[in-house]
Amino acid sequence: MASEFDLIAQYFTRPTHHTQLGVGDDAALISISPGMELAISADMLVAGTHFFNDADAYKLGWKSLAVNVSDMAAMGANPKWATLAIALPELNPAWLAEFSRGFFACADAFNIDLIGGDTTRGPLTISVQIMGEVPIGQAIKRSNANVGDEIWVSGHCGDAALALAHIQGKLTLPVDALASCAEALHTPQPRVALGLALRQIASSAIDISDGLLADLGHILERSNVGASLMLSRIPHSAYLADKLAGAGHRNEGVANTHDNNILSMLLAGGDDYELCFTAPIEKHAEINSLSEKLALPLSCIGRITANTGLIVHGFNDETLDFKETGFDHFS
Ligand code: ADP
Ligand code: MG
């Protein structure tokens, strides 16, 4: 029977690239580059709450780190180091091999050193802490959106929610839509290159983990402003486009339950890990060029308003009454 130390050596110890002392001592040692400050964040994934018990181990490894990398992206920070605290119900070498392969695939993709952690027996729980660097004073906070700023979002909204609804049998996605939506749900691509470029451009930013309206709501609250969004500008998959076109052509706007479910995926679906950010209107062209350069859709979906509150204008310019603003673990 392998000891905890063998397990750590075999699955969680890899050469580091920018670390003074990594896994193996009582603590790791890192040096921050001159002129930089440290951005630190942690995100925990619990079996049964954040993923299904039979989740693919490789994808879970990827996602555990990716959701943390996404927080660095949302701050405009360059992710560099991570720690991993993991509780495992049993010592399953095949599972551990796949989990660590997924975790290090994400670490390699973003040049992150795993520098330590903790390993214990218990209900499957994965807690990652991430650290990154950002030039002093240049972090993109939630609290700096200004009246008149445009509101932007990267990629698509609602893809991960669509995949989840498919898995739960609430709808059936066509094969090609399922492939891209399942990728958004299980192996999200954190928008690091975008976050770094936005240091010079964005007034505020957040990553969309709990749904567009809920997460934009955090920016509004912290910045003490409101927002006006255009439903027709919110970027989504071709599958949702079909469904929404049906809803939009009805004179009464979006009224029935089916349409509301579709809307709720678009506006309140969690787990997308796209960035929502605000920027002065003068930056509009620069953001469009950035979108081309990164080959990543960036959509202007509305404006920051002085009236606090969040208004979504529907296809017929009606104001949507939209109560479900996100997934709240405690509601
Ligand atoms: P300690 O008893 O000093 O807390 P541990 O036995 O928990 O040390 O861990 C030994 C070393 O292995 C430490 O450097 C720790 O950071 C590292 N470590 C433990 N678990 C993990 C893990 N899951 N991933 C990466 N490093 C780990
Ligand atoms: Mg320990």
Side-chain angles (χ1 to χ4, degrees):
M1 174 86 177
S3 76
E4 177 192 324
F5 301 103
D6 296 334
L7 183 159
I8 295 165
Q10 185 169 356
Y11 300 109
F12 298 119
T13 309
R14 295 281 187 283
T16 54
H17 306 285
H18 39 248
T19 298
Q20 274 58 52
L21 184 63
V23 170
D25 213 312
D26 297 308
L29 299 172
I30 56 176
S31 296
I32 310 169
S33 315
M36 299 295 225
E37 54 194 349
L38 204 53
I40 306 175
S41 174
D43 249 326
M44 184 154 72
L45 274 73
V46 178
T49 303
H50 301 96
F51 58 91
F52 300 111
N53 276 289
D54 61 352
D56 179 283
Y58 175 92
K59 292 173 182 169
L60 194 54
W62 173 282
K63 188 168 177 175
S64 322
L65 184 55
V67 300
N68 281 276
V69 176
S70 178
D71 284 315
M72 293 290 103
M75 291 300 285
N78 187 19
K80 294 189 76 168
W81 304 280
T83 62
L84 166 67
I86 187 164
L88 299 163
E90 56 177 353
L91 210 173
N92 177 341
W95 190 93
L96 276 165
E98 278 304 281
F99 177 87
S100 86
R101 203 168 64 81
F103 188 95
F104 282 109
C106 185
D108 291 345
F110 295 96
N111 195 19
I112 294 165
D113 288 347
L114 178 64
I115 59 169
D118 201 17
T119 306
T120 177
R121 195 178 286 268
L124 183 57
T125 305
I126 302 149
S127 182
V128 173
Q129 182 183 52
I130 192 153
M131 285 150 279
E133 289 182 333
V134 59
I136 293 170
Q138 285 187 32
I140 312 164
K141 301 181 196 160
R142 298 178 179 183
S143 53
N144 203 29
N146 297 304
V147 175
D149 281 355
E150 290 180 321
I151 302 166
W152 296 77
V153 67
S154 65
H156 285 167
C157 292
D159 280 7
L162 278 172
L164 184 63
H166 177 95
I167 291 166
Q168 294 173 331
K170 292 180 182 164
L171 52 78
T172 306
L173 290 174
V175 181
D176 53 334
L178 178 59
S180 61
C181 291
E183 203 178 305
L185 179 63
H186 296 305
T187 47
Q189 298 294 325
R191 304 305 187 189
V192 174
L194 174 61
L196 296 181
L198 288 178
R199 281 173 187 168
Q200 313 296 334
I201 296 172
S203 50
S204 73
I206 192 166
D207 66 325
I208 305 180
S209 52
D210 294 332
L212 174 64
L213 295 192
D215 288 319
L216 174 59
H218 295 313
I219 288 184
L220 303 183
E221 196 177 327
R222 296 294 296 277
S223 299
N224 201 21
V225 291
S228 163
L229 298 185
M230 308 282 283
L231 183 57
S232 58
R233 301 237 195 114
I234 297 175
H236 44 66
S237 64
Y239 175 84
L240 274 190
D242 281 356
K243 301 286 166 196
L244 286 165
H249 289 143
R250 283 180 205 114
N251 281 339
E252 73 276 28
V254 180
N256 68 43
T257 314
H258 167 77
D259 296 342
N260 276 333
N261 288 340
I262 292 294
L263 270 188
S264 129
M265 278 178 228
L266 180 66
L267 298 172
D271 259 358
D272 278 324
Y273 303 102
E274 295 296 345
L275 295 188
C276 175
F277 59 96
T278 60
I281 198 158
E282 307 84 67
K283 303 281 187 184
H284 192 100
E286 197 179 339
I287 294 169
N288 281 333
S289 325
L290 180 62
S291 170
E292 270 179 43
K293 191 174 137 207
L294 299 177
L296 175 67
L298 298 175
S299 308
C300 179
I301 61 171
R303 296 286 289 271
I304 294 292
T305 59
N307 301 340
T308 53
L310 178 50
I311 292 170
V312 183
H313 297 279
F315 292 108
N316 303 308
D317 211 35
E318 78 282 19
T319 302
L320 298 186
D321 175 18
F322 202 81
K323 297 204 176 58
E324 196 182 342
T325 54
F327 183 72
D328 184 337
H329 289 266
F330 297 103
S331 68

mmCIF file with all atom_site columns, all heavy atoms in Angstrom, residues 24-48:
data_model
loop_
_atom_site.group_PDB
_atom_site.id
_atom_site.type_symbol
_atom_site.label_atom_id
_atom_site.label_alt_id
_atom_site.label_comp_id
_atom_site.label_asym_id
_atom_site.label_entity_id
_atom_site.label_seq_id
_atom_site.pdbx_PDB_ins_code
_atom_site.Cartn_x
_atom_site.Cartn_y
_atom_site.Cartn_z
_atom_site.occupancy
_atom_site.B_iso_or_equiv
_atom_site.pdbx_formal_charge
_atom_site.auth_seq_id
_atom_site.auth_comp_id
_atom_site.auth_asym_id
_atom_site.auth_atom_id
_atom_site.pdbx_PDB_model_num
ATOM 1   N N   . GLY A 1 24 ? 7.576   19.336 -1.113  1.00 0.00 ? 24 GLY A N   1
ATOM 2   C CA  . GLY A 1 24 ? 8.497   18.475 -0.384  1.00 0.00 ? 24 GLY A CA  1
ATOM 3   C C   . GLY A 1 24 ? 8.982   19.021 0.934   1.00 0.00 ? 24 GLY A C   1
ATOM 4   O O   . GLY A 1 24 ? 9.472   18.271 1.774   1.00 0.00 ? 24 GLY A O   1
ATOM 5   N N   . ASP A 1 25 ? 8.876   20.310 1.143   1.00 0.00 ? 25 ASP A N   1
ATOM 6   C CA  . ASP A 1 25 ? 9.294   20.856 2.445   1.00 0.00 ? 25 ASP A CA  1
ATOM 7   C C   . ASP A 1 25 ? 8.043   21.299 3.208   1.00 0.00 ? 25 ASP A C   1
ATOM 8   O O   . ASP A 1 25 ? 6.920   21.064 2.780   1.00 0.00 ? 25 ASP A O   1
ATOM 9   C CB  . ASP A 1 25 ? 10.284  22.016 2.237   1.00 0.00 ? 25 ASP A CB  1
ATOM 10  C CG  . ASP A 1 25 ? 11.310  22.090 3.365   1.00 0.00 ? 25 ASP A CG  1
ATOM 11  O OD1 . ASP A 1 25 ? 10.906  22.028 4.538   1.00 0.00 ? 25 ASP A OD1 1
ATOM 12  O OD2 . ASP A 1 25 ? 12.516  22.197 3.046   1.00 0.00 ? 25 ASP A OD2 1
ATOM 13  N N   . ASP A 1 26 ? 8.253   21.934 4.345   1.00 0.00 ? 26 ASP A N   1
ATOM 14  C CA  . ASP A 1 26 ? 7.104   22.377 5.152   1.00 0.00 ? 26 ASP A CA  1
ATOM 15  C C   . ASP A 1 26 ? 6.342   23.496 4.465   1.00 0.00 ? 26 ASP A C   1
ATOM 16  O O   . ASP A 1 26 ? 5.145   23.675 4.681   1.00 0.00 ? 26 ASP A O   1
ATOM 17  C CB  . ASP A 1 26 ? 7.577   22.849 6.526   1.00 0.00 ? 26 ASP A CB  1
ATOM 18  C CG  . ASP A 1 26 ? 8.223   21.718 7.300   1.00 0.00 ? 26 ASP A CG  1
ATOM 19  O OD1 . ASP A 1 26 ? 7.574   20.657 7.403   1.00 0.00 ? 26 ASP A OD1 1
ATOM 20  O OD2 . ASP A 1 26 ? 9.372   21.858 7.752   1.00 0.00 ? 26 ASP A OD2 1
ATOM 21  N N   . ALA A 1 27 ? 7.036   24.252 3.653   1.00 0.00 ? 27 ALA A N   1
ATOM 22  C CA  . ALA A 1 27 ? 6.381   25.330 2.906   1.00 0.00 ? 27 ALA A CA  1
ATOM 23  C C   . ALA A 1 27 ? 7.147   25.549 1.613   1.00 0.00 ? 27 ALA A C   1
ATOM 24  O O   . ALA A 1 27 ? 8.321   25.195 1.505   1.00 0.00 ? 27 ALA A O   1
ATOM 25  C CB  . ALA A 1 27 ? 6.365   26.613 3.735   1.00 0.00 ? 27 ALA A CB  1
ATOM 26  N N   . ALA A 1 28 ? 6.482   26.097 0.639   1.00 0.00 ? 28 ALA A N   1
ATOM 27  C CA  . ALA A 1 28 ? 7.145   26.446 -0.624  1.00 0.00 ? 28 ALA A CA  1
ATOM 28  C C   . ALA A 1 28 ? 7.702   27.859 -0.518  1.00 0.00 ? 28 ALA A C   1
ATOM 29  O O   . ALA A 1 28 ? 7.271   28.651 0.335   1.00 0.00 ? 28 ALA A O   1
ATOM 30  C CB  . ALA A 1 28 ? 6.144   26.363 -1.767  1.00 0.00 ? 28 ALA A CB  1
ATOM 31  N N   . LEU A 1 29 ? 8.661   28.176 -1.375  1.00 0.00 ? 29 LEU A N   1
ATOM 32  C CA  . LEU A 1 29 ? 9.244   29.516 -1.413  1.00 0.00 ? 29 LEU A CA  1
ATOM 33  C C   . LEU A 1 29 ? 9.131   30.069 -2.830  1.00 0.00 ? 29 LEU A C   1
ATOM 34  O O   . LEU A 1 29 ? 9.491   29.392 -3.791  1.00 0.00 ? 29 LEU A O   1
ATOM 35  C CB  . LEU A 1 29 ? 10.722  29.469 -1.001  1.00 0.00 ? 29 LEU A CB  1
ATOM 36  C CG  . LEU A 1 29 ? 11.018  28.966 0.420   1.00 0.00 ? 29 LEU A CG  1
ATOM 37  C CD1 . LEU A 1 29 ? 12.522  28.777 0.616   1.00 0.00 ? 29 LEU A CD1 1
ATOM 38  C CD2 . LEU A 1 29 ? 10.457  29.941 1.464   1.00 0.00 ? 29 LEU A CD2 1
ATOM 39  N N   . ILE A 1 30 ? 8.628   31.273 -2.930  1.00 0.00 ? 30 ILE A N   1
ATOM 40  C CA  . ILE A 1 30 ? 8.533   31.921 -4.239  1.00 0.00 ? 30 ILE A CA  1
ATOM 41  C C   . ILE A 1 30 ? 9.059   33.351 -4.133  1.00 0.00 ? 30 ILE A C   1
ATOM 42  O O   . ILE A 1 30 ? 9.059   33.935 -3.052  1.00 0.00 ? 30 ILE A O   1
ATOM 43  C CB  . ILE A 1 30 ? 7.070   31.963 -4.763  1.00 0.00 ? 30 ILE A CB  1
ATOM 44  C CG1 . ILE A 1 30 ? 6.149   32.654 -3.761  1.00 0.00 ? 30 ILE A CG1 1
ATOM 45  C CG2 . ILE A 1 30 ? 6.574   30.565 -5.081  1.00 0.00 ? 30 ILE A CG2 1
ATOM 46  C CD1 . ILE A 1 30 ? 4.713   32.812 -4.244  1.00 0.00 ? 30 ILE A CD1 1
ATOM 47  N N   . SER A 1 31 ? 9.513   33.889 -5.242  1.00 0.00 ? 31 SER A N   1
ATOM 48  C CA  . SER A 1 31 ? 9.920   35.294 -5.273  1.00 0.00 ? 31 SER A CA  1
ATOM 49  C C   . SER A 1 31 ? 9.039   36.021 -6.274  1.00 0.00 ? 31 SER A C   1
ATOM 50  O O   . SER A 1 31 ? 8.833   35.529 -7.385  1.00 0.00 ? 31 SER A O   1
ATOM 51  C CB  . SER A 1 31 ? 11.361  35.447 -5.751  1.00 0.00 ? 31 SER A CB  1
ATOM 52  O OG  . SER A 1 31 ? 12.228  34.833 -4.851  1.00 0.00 ? 31 SER A OG  1
ATOM 53  N N   . ILE A 1 32 ? 8.558   37.168 -5.880  1.00 0.00 ? 32 ILE A N   1
ATOM 54  C CA  . ILE A 1 32 ? 7.729   37.959 -6.785  1.00 0.00 ? 32 ILE A CA  1
ATOM 55  C C   . ILE A 1 32 ? 8.638   38.887 -7.589  1.00 0.00 ? 32 ILE A C   1
ATOM 56  O O   . ILE A 1 32 ? 9.596   39.441 -7.052  1.00 0.00 ? 32 ILE A O   1
ATOM 57  C CB  . ILE A 1 32 ? 6.717   38.793 -6.002  1.00 0.00 ? 32 ILE A CB  1
ATOM 58  C CG1 . ILE A 1 32 ? 5.982   37.903 -4.997  1.00 0.00 ? 32 ILE A CG1 1
ATOM 59  C CG2 . ILE A 1 32 ? 5.718   39.460 -6.923  1.00 0.00 ? 32 ILE A CG2 1
ATOM 60  C CD1 . ILE A 1 32 ? 5.180   38.702 -4.021  1.00 0.00 ? 32 ILE A CD1 1
ATOM 61  N N   . SER A 1 33 ? 8.349   39.033 -8.872  1.00 0.00 ? 33 SER A N   1
ATOM 62  C CA  . SER A 1 33 ? 9.162   39.907 -9.723  1.00 0.00 ? 33 SER A CA  1
ATOM 63  C C   . SER A 1 33 ? 9.041   41.358 -9.248  1.00 0.00 ? 33 SER A C   1
ATOM 64  O O   . SER A 1 33 ? 7.995   41.766 -8.737  1.00 0.00 ? 33 SER A O   1
ATOM 65  C CB  . SER A 1 33 ? 8.687   39.811 -11.172 1.00 0.00 ? 33 SER A CB  1
ATOM 66  O OG  . SER A 1 33 ? 8.469   38.468 -11.531 1.00 0.00 ? 33 SER A OG  1
ATOM 67  N N   . PRO A 1 34 ? 10.114  42.145 -9.451  1.00 0.00 ? 34 PRO A N   1
ATOM 68  C CA  . PRO A 1 34 ? 10.084  43.552 -9.026  1.00 0.00 ? 34 PRO A CA  1
ATOM 69  C C   . PRO A 1 34 ? 8.931   44.302 -9.712  1.00 0.00 ? 34 PRO A C   1
ATOM 70  O O   . PRO A 1 34 ? 8.643   44.058 -10.879 1.00 0.00 ? 34 PRO A O   1
ATOM 71  C CB  . PRO A 1 34 ? 11.428  44.103 -9.520  1.00 0.00 ? 34 PRO A CB  1
ATOM 72  C CG  . PRO A 1 34 ? 12.280  42.916 -9.791  1.00 0.00 ? 34 PRO A CG  1
ATOM 73  C CD  . PRO A 1 34 ? 11.371  41.765 -10.080 1.00 0.00 ? 34 PRO A CD  1
ATOM 74  N N   . GLY A 1 35 ? 8.284   45.172 -8.970  1.00 0.00 ? 35 GLY A N   1
ATOM 75  C CA  . GLY A 1 35 ? 7.214   45.991 -9.540  1.00 0.00 ? 35 GLY A CA  1
ATOM 76  C C   . GLY A 1 35 ? 5.874   45.282 -9.618  1.00 0.00 ? 35 GLY A C   1
ATOM 77  O O   . GLY A 1 35 ? 4.891   45.847 -10.100 1.00 0.00 ? 35 GLY A O   1
ATOM 78  N N   . MET A 1 36 ? 5.843   44.034 -9.165  1.00 0.00 ? 36 MET A N   1
ATOM 79  C CA  . MET A 1 36 ? 4.599   43.267 -9.255  1.00 0.00 ? 36 MET A CA  1
ATOM 80  C C   . MET A 1 36 ? 3.984   43.091 -7.879  1.00 0.00 ? 36 MET A C   1
ATOM 81  O O   . MET A 1 36 ? 4.692   43.071 -6.868  1.00 0.00 ? 36 MET A O   1
ATOM 82  C CB  . MET A 1 36 ? 4.882   41.875 -9.831  1.00 0.00 ? 36 MET A CB  1
ATOM 83  C CG  . MET A 1 36 ? 5.455   41.902 -11.225 1.00 0.00 ? 36 MET A CG  1
ATOM 84  S SD  . MET A 1 36 ? 4.263   42.572 -12.393 1.00 0.00 ? 36 MET A SD  1
ATOM 85  C CE  . MET A 1 36 ? 4.436   41.407 -13.716 1.00 0.00 ? 36 MET A CE  1
ATOM 86  N N   . GLU A 1 37 ? 2.652   42.923 -7.836  1.00 0.00 ? 37 GLU A N   1
ATOM 87  C CA  . GLU A 1 37 ? 2.029   42.474 -6.605  1.00 0.00 ? 37 GLU A CA  1
ATOM 88  C C   . GLU A 1 37 ? 1.388   41.119 -6.821  1.00 0.00 ? 37 GLU A C   1
ATOM 89  O O   . GLU A 1 37 ? 1.160   40.703 -7.954  1.00 0.00 ? 37 GLU A O   1
ATOM 90  C CB  . GLU A 1 37 ? 1.070   43.512 -6.006  1.00 0.00 ? 37 GLU A CB  1
ATOM 91  C CG  . GLU A 1 37 ? -0.002  44.035 -6.898  1.00 0.00 ? 37 GLU A CG  1
ATOM 92  C CD  . GLU A 1 37 ? -0.673  45.296 -6.307  1.00 0.00 ? 37 GLU A CD  1
ATOM 93  O OE1 . GLU A 1 37 ? -0.439  45.622 -5.120  1.00 0.00 ? 37 GLU A OE1 1
ATOM 94  O OE2 . GLU A 1 37 ? -1.436  45.946 -7.027  1.00 0.00 ? 37 GLU A OE2 1
ATOM 95  N N   . LEU A 1 38 ? 1.137   40.437 -5.683  1.00 0.00 ? 38 LEU A N   1
ATOM 96  C CA  . LEU A 1 38 ? 0.640   39.067 -5.738  1.00 0.00 ? 38 LEU A CA  1
ATOM 97  C C   . LEU A 1 38 ? -0.888  39.086 -5.719  1.00 0.00 ? 38 LEU A C   1
ATOM 98  O O   . LEU A 1 38 ? -1.490  39.715 -4.856  1.00 0.00 ? 38 LEU A O   1
ATOM 99  C CB  . LEU A 1 38 ? 1.180   38.321 -4.513  1.00 0.00 ? 38 LEU A CB  1
ATOM 100 C CG  . LEU A 1 38 ? 1.304   36.812 -4.544  1.00 0.00 ? 38 LEU A CG  1
ATOM 101 C CD1 . LEU A 1 38 ? 2.097   36.330 -5.739  1.00 0.00 ? 38 LEU A CD1 1
ATOM 102 C CD2 . LEU A 1 38 ? 1.953   36.346 -3.245  1.00 0.00 ? 38 LEU A CD2 1
ATOM 103 N N   . ALA A 1 39 ? -1.518  38.400 -6.672  1.00 0.00 ? 39 ALA A N   1
ATOM 104 C CA  . ALA A 1 39 ? -2.970  38.203 -6.668  1.00 0.00 ? 39 ALA A CA  1
ATOM 105 C C   . ALA A 1 39 ? -3.215  36.773 -6.204  1.00 0.00 ? 39 ALA A C   1
ATOM 106 O O   . ALA A 1 39 ? -2.594  35.847 -6.720  1.00 0.00 ? 39 ALA A O   1
ATOM 107 C CB  . ALA A 1 39 ? -3.535  38.405 -8.074  1.00 0.00 ? 39 ALA A CB  1
ATOM 108 N N   . ILE A 1 40 ? -4.078  36.596 -5.223  1.00 0.00 ? 40 ILE A N   1
ATOM 109 C CA  . ILE A 1 40 ? -4.294  35.277 -4.620  1.00 0.00 ? 40 ILE A CA  1
ATOM 110 C C   . ILE A 1 40 ? -5.779  34.959 -4.578  1.00 0.00 ? 40 ILE A C   1
ATOM 111 O O   . ILE A 1 40 ? -6.587  35.818 -4.232  1.00 0.00 ? 40 ILE A O   1
ATOM 112 C CB  . ILE A 1 40 ? -3.755  35.239 -3.166  1.00 0.00 ? 40 ILE A CB  1
ATOM 113 C CG1 . ILE A 1 40 ? -2.303  35.685 -3.127  1.00 0.00 ? 40 ILE A CG1 1
ATOM 114 C CG2 . ILE A 1 40 ? -3.898  33.840 -2.571  1.00 0.00 ? 40 ILE A CG2 1
ATOM 115 C CD1 . ILE A 1 40 ? -1.730  35.793 -1.734  1.00 0.00 ? 40 ILE A CD1 1
ATOM 116 N N   . SER A 1 41 ? -6.129  33.738 -4.939  1.00 0.00 ? 41 SER A N   1
ATOM 117 C CA  . SER A 1 41 ? -7.529  33.356 -4.931  1.00 0.00 ? 41 SER A CA  1
ATOM 118 C C   . SER A 1 41 ? -7.645  31.858 -4.687  1.00 0.00 ? 41 SER A C   1
ATOM 119 O O   . SER A 1 41 ? -6.711  31.112 -4.965  1.00 0.00 ? 41 SER A O   1
ATOM 120 C CB  . SER A 1 41 ? -8.140  33.738 -6.284  1.00 0.00 ? 41 SER A CB  1
ATOM 121 O OG  . SER A 1 41 ? -9.451  33.262 -6.369  1.00 0.00 ? 41 SER A OG  1
ATOM 122 N N   . ALA A 1 42 ? -8.772  31.405 -4.158  1.00 0.00 ? 42 ALA A N   1
ATOM 123 C CA  . ALA A 1 42 ? -8.979  29.973 -3.950  1.00 0.00 ? 42 ALA A CA  1
ATOM 124 C C   . ALA A 1 42 ? -10.393 29.598 -4.376  1.00 0.00 ? 42 ALA A C   1
ATOM 125 O O   . ALA A 1 42 ? -11.322 30.392 -4.248  1.00 0.00 ? 42 ALA A O   1
ATOM 126 C CB  . ALA A 1 42 ? -8.775  29.615 -2.483  1.00 0.00 ? 42 ALA A CB  1
ATOM 127 N N   . ASP A 1 43 ? -10.542 28.398 -4.904  1.00 0.00 ? 43 ASP A N   1
ATOM 128 C CA  . ASP A 1 43 ? -11.850 27.887 -5.305  1.00 0.00 ? 43 ASP A CA  1
ATOM 129 C C   . ASP A 1 43 ? -11.896 26.415 -4.980  1.00 0.00 ? 43 ASP A C   1
ATOM 130 O O   . ASP A 1 43 ? -10.962 25.676 -5.277  1.00 0.00 ? 43 ASP A O   1
ATOM 131 C CB  . ASP A 1 43 ? -12.064 28.079 -6.811  1.00 0.00 ? 43 ASP A CB  1
ATOM 132 C CG  . ASP A 1 43 ? -13.137 29.107 -7.094  1.00 0.00 ? 43 ASP A CG  1
ATOM 133 O OD1 . ASP A 1 43 ? -14.092 29.183 -6.310  1.00 0.00 ? 43 ASP A OD1 1
ATOM 134 O OD2 . ASP A 1 43 ? -13.011 29.825 -8.093  1.00 0.00 ? 43 ASP A OD2 1
ATOM 135 N N   . MET A 1 44 ? -12.984 25.991 -4.381  1.00 0.00 ? 44 MET A N   1
ATOM 136 C CA  . MET A 1 44 ? -13.117 24.610 -3.938  1.00 0.00 ? 44 MET A CA  1
ATOM 137 C C   . MET A 1 44 ? -14.171 23.904 -4.785  1.00 0.00 ? 44 MET A C   1
ATOM 138 O O   . MET A 1 44 ? -15.201 24.483 -5.109  1.00 0.00 ? 44 MET A O   1
ATOM 139 C CB  . MET A 1 44 ? -13.541 24.631 -2.467  1.00 0.00 ? 44 MET A CB  1
ATOM 140 C CG  . MET A 1 44 ? -13.641 23.298 -1.833  1.00 0.00 ? 44 MET A CG  1
ATOM 141 S SD  . MET A 1 44 ? -13.376 23.432 -0.055  1.00 0.00 ? 44 MET A SD  1
ATOM 142 C CE  . MET A 1 44 ? -14.859 24.211 0.462   1.00 0.00 ? 44 MET A CE  1
ATOM 143 N N   . LEU A 1 45 ? -13.904 22.651 -5.124  1.00 0.00 ? 45 LEU A N   1
ATOM 144 C CA  . LEU A 1 45 ? -14.881 21.840 -5.847  1.00 0.00 ? 45 LEU A CA  1
ATOM 145 C C   . LEU A 1 45 ? -15.236 20.628 -4.984  1.00 0.00 ? 45 LEU A C   1
ATOM 146 O O   . LEU A 1 45 ? -14.350 19.872 -4.586  1.00 0.00 ? 45 LEU A O   1
ATOM 147 C CB  . LEU A 1 45 ? -14.316 21.354 -7.195  1.00 0.00 ? 45 LEU A CB  1
ATOM 148 C CG  . LEU A 1 45 ? -14.473 22.310 -8.391  1.00 0.00 ? 45 LEU A CG  1
ATOM 149 C CD1 . LEU A 1 45 ? -13.527 23.474 -8.250  1.00 0.00 ? 45 LEU A CD1 1
ATOM 150 C CD2 . LEU A 1 45 ? -14.213 21.590 -9.694  1.00 0.00 ? 45 LEU A CD2 1
ATOM 151 N N   . VAL A 1 46 ? -16.520 20.471 -4.691  1.00 0.00 ? 46 VAL A N   1
ATOM 152 C CA  . VAL A 1 46 ? -16.985 19.399 -3.807  1.00 0.00 ? 46 VAL A CA  1
ATOM 153 C C   . VAL A 1 46 ? -17.850 18.426 -4.609  1.00 0.00 ? 46 VAL A C   1
ATOM 154 O O   . VAL A 1 46 ? -18.763 18.849 -5.316  1.00 0.00 ? 46 VAL A O   1
ATOM 155 C CB  . VAL A 1 46 ? -17.807 19.998 -2.639  1.00 0.00 ? 46 VAL A CB  1
ATOM 156 C CG1 . VAL A 1 46 ? -18.340 18.905 -1.724  1.00 0.00 ? 46 VAL A CG1 1
ATOM 157 C CG2 . VAL A 1 46 ? -16.971 20.991 -1.847  1.00 0.00 ? 46 VAL A CG2 1
ATOM 158 N N   . ALA A 1 47 ? -17.541 17.130 -4.486  1.00 0.00 ? 47 ALA A N   1
ATOM 159 C CA  . ALA A 1 47 ? -18.329 16.106 -5.191  1.00 0.00 ? 47 ALA A CA  1
ATOM 160 C C   . ALA A 1 47 ? -19.782 16.188 -4.754  1.00 0.00 ? 47 ALA A C   1
ATOM 161 O O   . ALA A 1 47 ? -20.079 16.333 -3.571  1.00 0.00 ? 47 ALA A O   1
ATOM 162 C CB  . ALA A 1 47 ? -17.772 14.718 -4.904  1.00 0.00 ? 47 ALA A CB  1
ATOM 163 N N   . GLY A 1 48 ? -20.686 16.126 -5.712  1.00 0.00 ? 48 GLY A N   1
ATOM 164 C CA  . GLY A 1 48 ? -22.108 16.187 -5.391  1.00 0.00 ? 48 GLY A CA  1
ATOM 165 C C   . GLY A 1 48 ? -22.657 17.598 -5.421  1.00 0.00 ? 48 GLY A C   1
ATOM 166 O O   . GLY A 1 48 ? -23.840 17.802 -5.649  1.00 0.00 ? 48 GLY A O   1
#
